[in-house]
Amino acid sequence: MTEITFSSEITVKLIDHMGGDDRVIQAAQVSAKGENNPDTVPPRLINALLKQKHGSTFEHSYFTFYVKAPIFVFREWMRHRMSSFNEMSGRYTELPGEFYIPAEDRKLFNQGTKMKPDFVAAPQDVINEVNSSVEYISHAAWNEYQRLLKLEVATEVARIVLPLNIYSQMYWTVSARSLMNFLSLRGSQEGAALISHPQREIQIGAEHIDAIFSEIMPLTHESFVTNGRVAP
Ligand SMILES: Cc1cc2nc3c(=O)[nH]c(=O)nc-3n(C[C@H](O)[C@H](O)[C@H](O)COP(=O)(O)OP(=O)(O)OC[C@H]3O[C@@H](n4cnc5c(N)ncnc54)[C@H](O)[C@@H]3O)c2cc1C
């Protein structure tokens, strides 16, 4: 049977970006001053635009990311409709045999409620049970997938035996405004006005996105953080 691999990684790579902090200012000033090209970008103006929810000025700066994550994370990620997605096709390709397994430090027990979860570490014997369950079902599903493919069943049908922890890949293109909405809902940083309690795995993805956003648009990111991570 074909070998499979296990990983706990959520991969995010920046493919391309357009605009930036200066484009926010240009978009804001075009109505009053016409086309202009500011040499310096006033942080106070960006802060005011964000605070007063002049959200459209953040829609002229764009990011394209490559994301590799398990399908259960993509189910959540793709709820963010104000962005564009292209995902690896399980109809047109044989999916790679790579499966997600929780990292050792992934807290497994919820001692809170469903709406206000409070995750704590499980004892080692439970961690072992989870690992063996994930490994068992991933191997079994993969073997069945391969068996169906050998019978020349079409990939689009054979894939239905695969579990939610198989990895997928996508390109995600998003404006800075929609990106901040994503971060406000899927991040969980200190100082955030909204505590949304995202699933840990998408939160890891949001942390990667946040780091790239802060590099490419430092002034907007700083204002976003200062204003409690509320999207404009
Ligand atoms: C912790 C958490 C738990 C969740 N649990 C569930 C769940 O159990 N079940 C479930 O189905 N979803 C769930 N979601 C998904 C959630 O309901 C949103 O679909 C998702 O977070 C995307 O947010 P959004 O609509 O703001 O983003 P986008 O779709 O990117 O939209 C951005 C903004 O555009 C506007 N907009 C977009 N579409 C419309 C529209 N049709 N009409 C009016 N305005 C629009 C809104 O202002 C919206 O905020 C959960 C999300 C989180 C963060």
Side-chain angles (χ1 to χ4, degrees):
M1 289 292 174
T2 321
E3 281 298 304
I4 61 173
T5 57
F6 289 93
S7 170
S8 308
E9 298 292 316
I10 308 297
T11 304
V12 173
K13 283 192 253 174
L14 179 66
I15 298 298
D16 207 352
H17 62 96
M18 184 185 90
D21 287 332
D22 54 353
R23 188 64 47 78
V24 178
I25 299 299
Q26 288 162 347
Q29 291 184 341
V30 76
S31 59
K33 296 187 176 173
E35 189 188 14
N36 71 95
N37 192 6
D39 292 331
T40 55
V41 178
R44 277 175 51 204
L45 180 51
I46 289 195
N47 198 47
L49 293 168
L50 204 128
K51 208 168 174 175
Q52 290 162 25
K53 292 195 171 284
H54 289 297
S56 58
T57 57
F58 299 92
E59 291 173 13
H60 304 278
S61 297
Y62 267 84
F63 297 79
T64 297
F65 299 99
Y66 164 85
V67 185
K68 184 174 166 190
I71 283 178
F72 69 88
V73 173
F74 276 15
R75 280 283 293 271
E76 296 186 346
W77 207 303
M78 289 184 177
R79 298 305 309 279
H80 293 265
R81 297 157 289 179
M82 295 298 120
S83 56
S84 303
F85 301 89
N86 277 93
E87 186 186 2
M88 172 176 267
S89 168
R91 291 189 70 198
Y92 305 135
T93 59
E94 184 183 328
L95 293 172
E98 193 173 358
F99 293 81
Y100 175 80
I101 193 161
E104 278 292 305
D105 61 354
R106 204 299 187 197
K107 294 174 180 158
L108 299 175
F109 281 170
N110 178 12
Q111 286 190 338
T113 63
K114 287 194 176 95
M115 295 302 280
K116 283 191 181 171
D118 176 19
F119 278 86
V120 294
Q124 192 58 47
D125 60 319
V126 174
I127 295 175
N128 295 344
E129 287 292 332
V130 169
N131 287 346
S132 69
S133 175
V134 170
E135 285 171 12
Y136 167 76
I137 208 68
S138 304
H139 278 287
W142 187 255
N143 289 344
E144 288 305 303
Y145 182 55
Q146 291 301 318
R147 196 169 72 81
L148 297 181
L149 291 177
K150 279 205 183 81
L151 292 171
E152 296 187 8
V153 173
T155 45
E156 70 181 45
V157 179
R159 66 168 168 178
I160 70 176
V161 300
L162 293 170
L164 289 175
N165 70 324
I166 193 163
Y167 274 86
S168 189
Q169 303 172 40
M170 67 171 172
Y171 264 26
W172 184 48
T173 296
V174 62
S175 73
R177 183 185 193 179
S178 189
L179 184 151
M180 286 187 270
N181 184 52
F182 175 83
L183 291 179
S184 72
L185 291 166
R186 305 301 185 175
S188 198
Q189 279 89 349
E190 267 185 36
L194 170 76
I195 307 296
S196 70
H197 304 288
Q199 166 133 6
R200 178 62 192 142
E201 285 78 7
I202 196 167
Q203 188 188 352
I204 294 170
E207 286 165 2
H208 294 319
I209 298 285
D210 189 78
I212 295 169
F213 178 45
S214 73
E215 245 177 66
I216 306 293
M217 296 182 70
L219 299 178
T220 303
H221 182 266
E222 194 185 331
S223 293
F224 176 59
V225 172
T226 309
N227 288 290
R229 295 179 165 271
V230 178

